[in-house]
């Protein structure tokens, strides 16, 4: 089964045509401020594209000479241009799935809420779930939570699990509660609450861990829903200037990955793909890939394979990050190693097997002990198998022992980090970490100072698919609650230029693609983003308001702000 999808994938990728052909410019961008990320020519005024590649970069006069009769010209009116953003860590289809639900984000009353559910339910195939929602009861008066009775009669045969915008509670309808077996007799789960009425019956509101009770009976997206999710995800990416994504297997047990990769292939084959994808499959499939002869990065300019994802631990919010010392708010708990690491010798053997075959390895590590353990394993790999262009990665790298900063550069391990997590988690992370460990958390500056390569991403849908917000987070470290105007652990702030580099060249390097993308230079892929403001000139705190004006992918304008 696994083998056959892989073979069909390889045949499909082999069919990708090479696009380059010489000639006059197809599209010219003039009168801009071009930040090239090319050290030979860091700034420019204009860019000429030839189909899917960049033809020339220079001043208006020289670039205009490349125009012919069929050339389209865009006047950038002095706006800032950057290389298209490359998000080094996403869960793309999950993200898309989070966008295709009942639009409840601006429901302004319970009646409005009900009407929207009724309308949306009519568009769904029989039995399909009502998902997502993004509602906020604070928008209506009085601000009381909705209950299942509100939507039961209008949701028909559609079970519903509709999330509040903060992701900490959801409304299930009676049908969903029934399918999940949640009733008066169901006990609360640790870390969660089933809200009840005065008679003890569930109201439909499930908080935190209690939402799992219903989530675990939700089926995966149907093929039709999956297409919709994919299209929504690509639209979202384009609106944020994201022209490349590195898609991660969700868990080590991710049985949905074949489905997701088929969806990417389908979009690629039908010419609908508007984002370049580098896919990381679960490391548990390393044998299948090595047996097939796949070497990273295998594929064409749109869709590639060769990365393998594994997990060293959990997360800080759920106290499952694997730490060297106990959490400050729980002296008996130091977190957990992931199931992948329980038999670390077996795990190392799969790393080594994959590495020898030329595959790339990418390992999730949040806690300081998890990071140290993975660095140790990479060090062993280097010692036993010698130097190679392996681009070994650690994902998240959130909490480090300062003694490990220099090991990233020394071992050639890429720190793939998500700056938005710092301004989100920074609101509460001192509680579990304490005042000392927060100093080496999300330690971008210390890592850069120690010579590490940073690749930035979002972890969408855990955080917004929005590199501009990521750059803002990296350069300000202002937490989302507004309580740290000078930045949370401000000594770890980095410059806007460093953050942009990590979102372009850094993430291209992390997928073996820095020779074809990540900078605006002749011969590179024609992926560009135009911003509403010059983020290098405005105060970093103002970057939050900066918008993407235009996104160019493969030489074509795929997004323009209205
Ligand atoms: Zn992730």
């Amino acid at each position: 089964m696994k083998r056959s999808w892989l073979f069909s994938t390889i045949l499909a990728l082999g069919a990708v045509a090479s696009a380059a052909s010489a000639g006059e410019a197809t599209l010219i961008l003039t009168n801009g401020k071009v930040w090239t990320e090319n050290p030979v020519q860091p700034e420019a005024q204009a860019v000429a594209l030839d189909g899917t590649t960049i033809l020339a970069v220079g001043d208006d006069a020289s670039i205009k000479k490349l125009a012919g009769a069929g050339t389209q010209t865009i006047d950038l009116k002095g706006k800032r241009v950057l290389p298209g953003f490359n998000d080094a860590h996403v869960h793309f289809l999950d993200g898309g799935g989070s966008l295709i639900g009942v639009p409840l984000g601006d429901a302004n009353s319970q009646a409005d809420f009900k009407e929207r559910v009724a309308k949306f339910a009519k568009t769904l195939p029989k039995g399909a779930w009502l998902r997502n929602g993004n509602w906020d009861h604070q928008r209506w008066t009085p601000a009381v939570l909705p209950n299942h009775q509100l939507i039961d009669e209008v949701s028909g045969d559609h079970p519903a699990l509709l999330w509040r915008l903060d992701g900490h509670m959801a409304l299930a309808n009676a049908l969903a509660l029934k399918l999940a077996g949640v009733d008066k007799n169901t006990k609360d789960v640790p870390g969660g609450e089933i809200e009840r009425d005065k008679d003890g019956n569930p109201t439909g509101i499930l908080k935190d861990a209690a939402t799992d009770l219903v989530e675990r009976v939700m089926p995966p997206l149907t093929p039709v829903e999956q297409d919709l999710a994919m299209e929504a995800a690509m639209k979202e990416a384009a609106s944020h200037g994201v022209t490349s994504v590195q898609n991660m297997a969700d868990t080590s047990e991710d049985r949905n990955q074949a489905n997701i990769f088929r969806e990417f292939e389908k979009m690629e084959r039908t010419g609908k793909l508007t984002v370049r994808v580098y896919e990381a499959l679960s490391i548990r499939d390393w044998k299948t890939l090595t047996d097939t002869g796949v070497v990273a990065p295998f594929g064409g300019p749109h869709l590639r394979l060769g990365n393998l994802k594994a997990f060293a631990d959990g997360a800080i919010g759920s106290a499952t990050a694997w730490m060297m010392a106990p959490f400050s708010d729980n002296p008996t708990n130091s977190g957990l190693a992931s199931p992948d690491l329980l038999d670390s010798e077996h795990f190392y053997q799969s790393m080594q097997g994959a590495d020898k075959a030329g595959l790339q390895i990418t390992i999730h590590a949040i806690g300081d002990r998890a990071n140290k353990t993975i660095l140790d394993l990479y060090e062993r790999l280097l010692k036993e198998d010698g130097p190679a262009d392996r681009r070994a990665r650690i994902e998240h790298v959130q909490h480090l022992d300062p003694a490990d900063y220099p090991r990233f550069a020394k071992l050639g391990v890429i720190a793939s980090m998500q700056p938005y997590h710092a301004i989100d988690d920074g609101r509460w992370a001192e509680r579990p970490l304490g005042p000392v460990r927060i100093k080496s958390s999300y330690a971008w500056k210390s890592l850069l100072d120690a010579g590490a390569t940073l690749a930035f991403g979002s972890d969408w849908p855990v955080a917004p698919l929005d590199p501009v917000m990521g750059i803002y987070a990296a350069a300000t470290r202002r937490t989302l609650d507004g309580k740290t105007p000078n930045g949370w652990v401000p000594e770890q702030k980095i410059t806007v230029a460093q953050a942009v580099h990590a979102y372009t060249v850094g993430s291209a390097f992390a997928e073996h693609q820095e020779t074809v993308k990540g900078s605006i230079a002749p011969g590179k892929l024609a992926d560009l983003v135009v911003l509403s403001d010059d983020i290098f000139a405005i105060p970093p705190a103002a970057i939050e308001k900066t918008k993407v004006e235009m996104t160019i992918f493969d030489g074509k304008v795929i997004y323009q702000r209205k």
Side-chain angles (χ1 to χ4, degrees):
M1 212 22 217
K2 237 184 300 164
R3 221 178 145 109
S4 65
W5 79 258
L6 198 61
F7 268 106
S8 59
T9 293
I10 288 159
L11 291 175
L13 288 168
V16 173
S18 64
S21 71
E24 68 191 16
T26 47
L27 177 62
I28 278 177
L29 307 166
T30 60
N31 187 25
K33 283 190 221 154
V34 185
W35 183 270
T36 67
E37 286 291 340
N38 172 10
V40 179
Q41 184 191 23
E43 293 248 26
Q45 209 177 9
V47 186
L49 309 180
D50 177 14
T52 60
T53 55
I54 294 166
L55 179 64
V57 183
D59 57 19
D60 279 356
S62 63
I63 293 297
K64 278 178 182 165
K65 285 188 195 135
L66 299 167
T71 304
Q72 186 196 350
T73 301
I74 295 174
D75 179 355
L76 294 166
K77 303 195 173 87
K79 294 258 189 297
R80 180 53 86 182
V81 183
L82 301 177
F85 294 122
N86 183 338
D87 189 316
H89 187 125
V90 296
H91 303 272
F92 204 63
L93 209 59
D94 282 356
S98 73
L99 300 172
I100 56 149
V102 193
L104 295 171
D106 48 0
N108 282 325
S109 66
Q110 291 220 4
D112 189 7
F113 186 105
K114 180 178 176 176
E115 201 181 301
R116 286 165 187 248
V117 172
K119 211 168 135 195
F120 195 83
K122 285 189 192 123
T123 68
L124 289 176
K126 198 172 155 38
W129 279 64
L130 289 152
R131 299 171 189 265
N132 302 311
N134 236 4
W135 51 270
D136 182 5
H137 65 294
Q138 302 292 352
R139 297 178 73 101
W140 58 66
T141 351
V144 281
L145 289 169
N147 58 21
H148 69 82
Q149 290 87 349
L150 177 72
I151 57 169
D152 280 342
E153 64 178 73
V154 295
S155 42
D157 67 350
H158 306 288
L161 186 68
L162 302 171
W163 286 87
R164 189 174 187 275
L165 80 168
D166 62 0
H168 286 285
M169 64 169 90
L171 174 68
N173 66 3
L175 183 54
L177 292 171
K178 193 173 153 219
L179 290 170
V182 174
D183 60 23
K184 199 174 172 166
N185 302 316
T186 311
K187 291 200 175 64
D188 277 340
V189 291
E193 185 199 335
I194 302 166
E195 196 192 60
R196 296 164 204 270
D197 63 19
K198 60 181 188 328
D199 301 319
N201 294 307
T203 65
I205 291 289
L206 304 170
K207 295 183 183 172
D208 290 311
T211 56
D212 297 345
L213 295 169
V214 173
E215 268 209 308
R216 67 178 178 220
V217 300
M218 282 177 87
L221 299 177
T222 64
V224 174
E225 287 174 317
Q226 196 166 290
D227 285 350
L228 291 173
M230 184 68 195
E231 275 156 26
M234 291 193 296
K235 224 170 133 190
E236 182 76 4
S239 75
H240 291 298
V242 175
T243 53
S244 289
V245 294
Q246 301 175 42
N247 193 56
M248 298 289 150
D250 289 344
T251 65
S252 296
E253 314 289 343
D254 195 345
R255 276 9 281 168
N256 201 28
Q257 59 184 17
N259 223 8
I260 292 172
F261 199 73
R262 272 195 216 102
E263 187 69 33
F264 285 134
E265 286 177 82
K266 183 172 160 186
M267 294 295 146
E268 206 282 325
R269 230 182 275 125
T270 51
K272 287 186 190 159
L273 200 64
T274 57
V275 66
R276 305 182 195 281
V277 179
Y278 184 43
E279 176 77 358
L281 301 171
S282 166
I283 199 162
R284 300 202 176 182
D285 293 324
W286 74 273
K287 267 302 260 162
T288 316
L289 279 177
T290 52
D291 288 352
T292 323
V294 170
V295 172
F298 170 76
H302 293 136
L303 189 52
R304 281 166 304 99
L305 273 178
N307 195 5
L308 293 169
K309 171 88 184 289
F311 290 79
D313 65 347
I316 197 85
S318 50
T320 51
W322 194 25
M323 305 298 289
M324 295 195 290
F327 294 106
S328 304
D329 56 355
N330 185 351
T332 63
N333 182 15
S334 311
L336 290 172
S338 81
D340 284 345
L341 278 189
L342 287 181
D343 182 349
S344 68
E345 193 51 37
H346 172 81
F347 181 70
Y348 178 74
Q349 298 306 330
S350 32
M351 278 175 72
Q352 193 173 36
D355 180 66
K356 276 193 170 142
L359 293 162
Q360 188 181 11
I361 300 164
T362 288
I363 306 176
H364 162 122
I366 303 259
D368 49 12
R369 185 157 176 208
N371 276 281
K372 194 181 285 297
T373 305
I374 298 306
L375 289 167
D376 290 347
L377 291 174
Y378 281 141
E379 189 169 345
R380 182 175 162 197
L381 203 55
L382 183 63
K383 227 175 253 159
E384 290 182 7
D385 294 345
D389 188 14
R390 34 177 79 87
R391 316 275 170 114
R393 294 166 61 152
I394 299 182
E395 302 301 302
H396 310 305
V397 197
Q398 282 182 5
H399 314 291
L400 287 176
D401 174 357
D404 286 332
Y405 294 153
R407 297 179 75 198
F408 284 83
K410 199 173 143 228
L411 302 172
V413 175
I414 297 159
S416 171
M417 301 177 75
Q418 302 77 35
Y420 188 91
H421 287 335
I423 63 170
D424 191 350
D425 300 355
R427 290 175 296 166
W428 49 263
E430 189 164 350
R431 230 179 305 130
L433 294 170
V436 176
R437 286 183 292 192
I438 62 166
K439 303 282 179 204
S440 54
S441 290
Y442 314 91
W444 313 308
K445 174 76 164 54
S446 297
L447 282 164
L448 283 179
D449 288 349
T453 297
L454 287 186
F456 274 172
S458 63
D459 206 6
W460 189 53
V462 180
L465 180 67
D466 183 351
V468 170
M469 271 309 282
I471 293 163
Y472 163 82
T476 68
R477 292 179 75 104
R478 285 158 73 117
T479 48
L480 299 176
D481 56 12
K483 289 183 180 161
T484 53
N486 189 38
W488 179 67
V489 194
E491 58 274 26
Q492 292 291 354
K493 284 188 240 182
I494 57 173
T495 66
V496 173
Q498 286 169 325
V500 168
H501 188 77
Y503 259 115
T504 53
V505 180
S507 41
F509 183 82
E511 56 158 335
H512 286 279
Q513 293 293 289
E514 75 285 359
T515 57
V516 295
K517 64 187 184 188
S519 58
I520 302 174
K524 293 247 167 128
L525 292 168
D527 298 345
L528 307 167
V529 55
V530 183
L531 301 178
S532 60
D533 304 287
D534 182 2
I535 56 173
F536 302 105
I538 60 177
I543 294 174
E544 195 182 12
K545 301 232 155 56
T546 298
K547 298 273 183 283
V548 166
E549 289 288 337
M550 183 188 290
T551 304
I552 294 172
F553 169 79
D554 239 4
K556 289 186 208 73
V557 177
I558 57 160
Y559 171 78
Q560 204 152 12
R561 189 160 78 103
K562 290 190 189 87

